[in-house]
Amino acid sequence: MNDVAGLFLAMIAIGAVAFAPLGYFIYKFTQKDGKPFGDIEPHGDSPSLVNDLAEKAIAFVKKQLNKNNTSS
């Protein structure tokens, strides 16, 4: 019977360690009105070299496509 109680306590300890990060996340999520990481900037609003290059490439391709469609 002692083995069963020891196994039960070990399983409880393993489960507590395994689910501790989830509990911490839920705690932080409910703490700040659904913002677990505080006020973060939404995606797409911050300047980025990669975004600027992608926008320029897309604009260039659109311009080339429009040139080809109007000249035909």
Side-chain angles (χ1 to χ4, degrees), residues 41-70:
E41 192 172 334
H43 295 290
D45 289 348
S46 57
S48 168
L49 177 64
V50 175
N51 286 342
D52 292 342
L53 289 175
E55 288 176 4
K56 287 178 184 177
I58 291 170
F60 177 75
V61 170
K62 283 184 178 179
K63 188 168 79 171
Q64 293 299 324
L65 289 173
N66 285 338
K67 269 188 191 177
N68 291 340
N69 288 340
T70 56

Side-chain angles (χ1 to χ4, degrees), residues 6 9 15 17 19 27 30 32 34 39 43 50 57 63 68 70 72:
L9 291 175
V17 169
F19 285 100
Y27 167 73
T30 58
K32 296 180 182 176
D39 291 328
H43 295 290
V50 175
K63 188 168 79 171
N68 291 340
T70 56
S72 295

